[in-house]
Amino acid sequence: MEWQPDEQGLQQVLHLLKDSQSPNTATQRAVQQKLEQLNQFPDFNNYLIFVLTRLKTEDEPTRSLSGLILKNNVKVHYQNFPPAVAHFINENISILYVLILVCLCSGILITTISTKGELQTWPELLPQLCNMLNSEDYNICEGSFGALQKICEDSSELLDSDALNRPLNIMIPKFLQFFKHCSPKIRSHAIACVNQFIIGRAQALMDNIDTFIESLFALAADEDSEVRKNVCRALVMLLEVRVDRLIPHMRSIVEYMLQRSQDPDENVALEACEFWLTLAEQPILTFLFFIAVQNYEAVPDNEQDIKPRFHKSRTVTLRHEGNEGEEGEESDEDDDDDDDSLSDWNLRKCSAAALDVLANVFRDELLPPLLPVLKELLFHPDWVVKESGILVLGAIAEGCMQDMVLYLPELIPHLIQCLCDKKALVRSIACWTLSRYAHWVVSQPPDSYLKPLMTELLKRILDSNKRVQEAACSAFATLEEEACTELVPYLSFILDTLVFAFSKYQHKNLLILYDAIGTLADSVGHHLNQPEYIQKLMPPLIQKWNELKDEDKDLFPLLECLSSVATALQSGFLPYCEPVYQRCVTLVQKNLAQAMMYNQHPDQYEAPDKDFMIVALDLLSGLAEGLGAHVEQLVTRSNVMTLIFQCMQDTMPEVRQSSFALLGDLTKACFLHVKPCIAEFLPVLGLNLNPEFISVCNNATWAIGEIAIQMGTEMQPFVALVLNNLVEIINRPNTPKTLLENTAITIGRLGYVCPQEVAPMLPQFVRPWCTSLRNIRDNEEKDSAFRGICVMIGVNPGGVVQDFIFFCDAVASWVNPKDDLRDMFYKILHGFKDQVGEDNWQQFSEQFPPLLKERLSACYGSCVFLCEMAGGITETGEPYSPFVSITFDQVVVHGVDID
């Protein structure tokens, strides 16, 4: 028998629903307690569905509220419902009534059930909803479409799967029929439903793609803004996945998007503006776009032969976008710290991002039509217009820089003057735009632009408007990165400003201030290590450090800042190092302990926020790098090596990445404490030589190289643990440049200390090894790596024969090698020449590019190397092995061009 409510129980539920609408707090609390009690009874949900779908005499708020409570119960407890209750819900939920709020509420409830994975066990739902689209009752049709749209949004992949027998084969053609419905709301729902299946290339949609596109074109001039918005969105996505179908119409699409970008409805304009972001990623279409733009003024408005589109949404943003402020906002009182206006995507930001990407496509071709407009905007008396011009100037900076250089001597002073504008938004956007031209500013004589820009930006850092403060701090950080040691003469002035900002800034901007200070330390390095500067900078930083609790996430940016400062100050950080070091160790220890408790009892403990551990490890790395041998006494009094071993095995890649960085820095600073742990550490490092996690692999590789240099010949038992993986990485296609370089250096270092173990594998890695290191600057790491390759060639000279030209090219990359290293190169080059003979060597060297010939001739003798091979011994005291069994044919066959 069908379930029927008990009358007394029904009245009790109705009374509860009416009480829940009371504004009285005490009543609300009592209702909540009663609801929790009733949820213990399975058929309570039957009462709720009964009120929603059967009690037509009840008022709308009461019925709607029953649906909302039911929705929440389904969301939390549906899997635990008895089969009879679940069946009753499924049987009754599709009975939608005329009251539109009830229809909408039921739609929400259907969606909640569908996303709980119940679509497979409720086969009647989709056919029922599709059938109700044909209802003569408009409210039922709209309510059904609302529910279908939510299901399409939440379950798009499931709807295009065999698990449901591919209902899209019926749904897509059904939706397309409603593109011509008389109601704009229904038309909008129909487009929105189909749009969910574009990016996934649902087969049912691809089978109907031409009909879909034609239907979109027919709606492009729709009077309803929501319809126009969904049309734009659809065509932008189609541009990504079915550009072949749009190319014949692209000129009309471009013209249409230019029109829609100026739509009176800002939401439509925003969707249309996304078009230009996607267009820039389609090189085949940009020519059509440029022609259309050039002739746009002569094209009459014609919204019948249309074509628009939308796209991958809010991912393209400007890195240092200025904040938006109230007109004329000058007070020191800003919005709450939670105001996240910078990340809000709007038409203004989308337009600027579009200009940015288009400038990078068309480069200086964009300037001729843009310059006259830009000049008018930049010097316009209306501050709103002027601000838009400043934003445009910043947006095109990267793409149009080459030709913009002609105008910068005039524009930069104007922008610096705009930093003093009475309108906050002008000041903030001027900060951002100037940061986009920081590279050019720094390339000029300091007194011309750098000094006045720095002076005004520092004033804006102390601006009365918080959003200007934020923009100025961000811009100054960019300037610091570009100027580096050019800022050294002004350090006192800079620090005075940044330190004063500590007393002026509130929460949000204080975090940005940490970044500006950390960037300054990274940029000027050891020049910061002066008593005057340390006395200015450290007290406020340490004060903030002491104020923050271990659980406060504001520690993250402060820890990062202190890491940079400690590295820059070096021994100057010694007076502050012990409490900072101990707190970092404590943070790591507490985090590991919390993780252990969570893993053992996940129902009793919360998972730790491992970001605390990551930034603490990074600061410990900064201390080790900055303090060098001075960190030894701190390590002695702590269990940091035990903690590192635990962190090296953490499941979170970022934790392992930071632990390997710390291990490498401690290896350099105080290997005495690392060496007893090597037998445990090396196998873990070997397991992390996995390029799937690039940064983890990179740091593990680097740490192995540092350990090898310290271990010397004692590294021999551990070479086999890592060598094969390293050789595989260096031969792997598309490996990032930094990882290739670190891998090559580590292989070289292993070969330097253990040549007998590594040299036999020379033929497997020598070519990528040489090409990886040919472009890095001279430094100690490169020095040790090249000593290793020379020693390995001495052990296995035949291993380099086939790729000897690459070795020559790598040798030529050195600007100023140490004398003994230069001698090693000389002996190998001349030894090779002597073995192959004069004629063969001359033919071989003729393959060299002119620059390579010149370099080798200048550094190691003439191209024919007339000098004789001099005798010598290796760094390890062993004689160089002769180049035996070398034939010139081998060399010629494998000769290749070197850039």
Side-chain angles (χ1 to χ4, degrees), residues 762-773:
L762 258 179
Q764 299 180 40
F765 65 75
V766 68
R767 180 183 293 196
W769 190 97
C770 292
T771 56
S772 297
L773 296 186

Side-chain angles (χ1 to χ4, degrees), residues 172 176 179-180 191 194-195 198 205-220 231-232 234-250 253 256 304-309:
I172 292 293
L176 291 174
F179 278 38
K180 299 179 180 179
I191 303 171
V194 178
N195 283 356
I198 297 176
L205 178 55
M206 296 299 106
D207 292 342
N208 293 273
I209 194 68
D210 291 330
T211 302
F212 177 45
I213 292 174
E214 290 172 8
S215 301
L216 290 173
F217 291 170
L219 292 175
V231 168
C232 289
L235 287 167
V236 172
M237 288 190 287
L238 285 171
L239 185 60
E240 294 185 25
V241 301
R242 290 308 305 262
V243 67
D244 58 312
R245 286 295 196 268
L246 297 186
I247 283 180
H249 313 287
M250 274 310 300
I253 292 177
Y256 175 72
Q304 274 72 26
D305 57 349
I306 225 122
K307 354 294 151 157
R309 75 53 133 121

Side-chain angles (χ1 to χ4, degrees), residues 478-489:
T478 302
L479 185 65
E480 290 170 339
E481 291 175 335
E482 294 289 349
C484 294
T485 54
E486 293 285 339
L487 297 178
V488 171

Side-chain angles (χ1 to χ4, degrees), residues 293-504:
V293 170
Q294 287 179 321
N295 297 299
Y296 177 57
E297 292 183 357
V299 176
D301 293 344
N302 184 4
E303 301 196 6
Q304 274 72 26
D305 57 349
I306 225 122
K307 354 294 151 157
R309 75 53 133 121
F310 151 84
H311 132 276
K312 94 258 336 347
S313 60
R314 327 324 182 198
T315 57
V316 181
T317 59
L318 301 177
R319 287 179 295 173
H320 295 104
E321 171 95 44
N323 289 307
E324 311 202 17
E326 299 295 332
E327 294 186 14
E329 179 186 12
E330 297 297 328
S331 72
D332 195 31
E333 296 182 7
D334 281 286
D335 296 338
D336 293 338
D337 287 337
D338 291 335
D339 176 18
D340 198 23
S341 59
L342 272 181
S343 62
D344 293 338
W345 192 246
N346 55 37
L347 182 58
R348 173 178 173 272
K349 295 179 182 179
C350 186
S351 300
L355 271 174
D356 190 351
V357 296
L358 290 175
N360 277 285
V361 171
F362 294 107
R363 298 288 174 177
D364 296 315
E365 291 181 87
L366 199 65
L367 276 182
L370 185 60
L371 280 176
V373 179
L374 186 56
K375 185 174 181 180
E376 181 180 348
L377 296 177
L378 285 171
F379 297 94
H380 200 281
D382 186 337
W383 76 268
V384 175
V385 177
K386 180 169 69 173
E387 186 276 339
S388 69
I390 298 172
L391 177 57
V392 169
L393 187 60
I396 66 171
E398 183 180 347
C400 300
M401 178 62 77
Q402 184 173 337
D403 279 9
M404 279 302 301
V405 166
L406 300 173
Y407 308 98
L408 292 182
E410 176 186 0
L411 289 174
I412 295 299
H414 176 67
L415 290 172
I416 292 175
Q417 187 177 0
C418 290
L419 292 174
C420 304
D421 196 277
K422 64 179 182 179
K423 297 297 182 182
L425 185 54
V426 173
R427 300 198 301 275
S428 65
I429 202 62
C431 290
W432 174 74
T433 295
L434 281 161
S435 75
R436 299 272 283 180
Y437 293 95
H439 182 75
W440 181 86
V441 167
V442 171
S443 69
Q444 307 303 306
D447 289 343
S448 300
Y449 306 103
L450 176 59
K451 189 173 180 180
L453 173 56
M454 180 187 62
T455 302
E456 291 304 319
L457 274 180
L458 289 172
K459 291 179 183 177
R460 295 288 67 80
I461 285 176
L462 301 180
D463 198 278
S464 60
N465 182 280
K466 289 182 182 177
R467 293 174 176 175
V468 177
Q469 296 169 3
E470 181 181 3
C473 256
S474 178
F476 195 75
T478 302
L479 185 65
E480 290 170 339
E481 291 175 335
E482 294 289 349
C484 294
T485 54
E486 293 285 339
L487 297 178
V488 171
Y490 316 106
L491 269 176
S492 183
F493 180 38
I494 293 170
L495 289 171
D496 284 341
T497 302
L498 297 180
V499 168
F500 185 77
F502 271 106
S503 62
K504 185 177 180 68

Side-chain angles (χ1 to χ4, degrees), residues 769-771 773-775 778 782 786 789-790 793 800 804-817 821-829 852 855-856 859-860 865:
W769 190 97
C770 292
T771 56
L773 296 186
R774 67 186 296 261
N775 292 321
D778 296 2
K782 183 176 180 179
F786 270 81
I789 205 74
C790 290
I793 290 173
V800 75
F804 194 69
I805 190 172
F806 290 92
F807 174 75
C808 295
D809 181 60
V811 166
S813 73
W814 277 90
V815 176
N816 188 28
L821 180 60
R822 184 190 300 272
D823 189 51
M824 295 172 79
F825 294 155
Y826 179 93
K827 292 170 182 176
I828 291 175
L829 293 170
L852 177 56
R855 185 70 184 161
L856 290 176
C859 297
Y860 304 101
F865 293 104

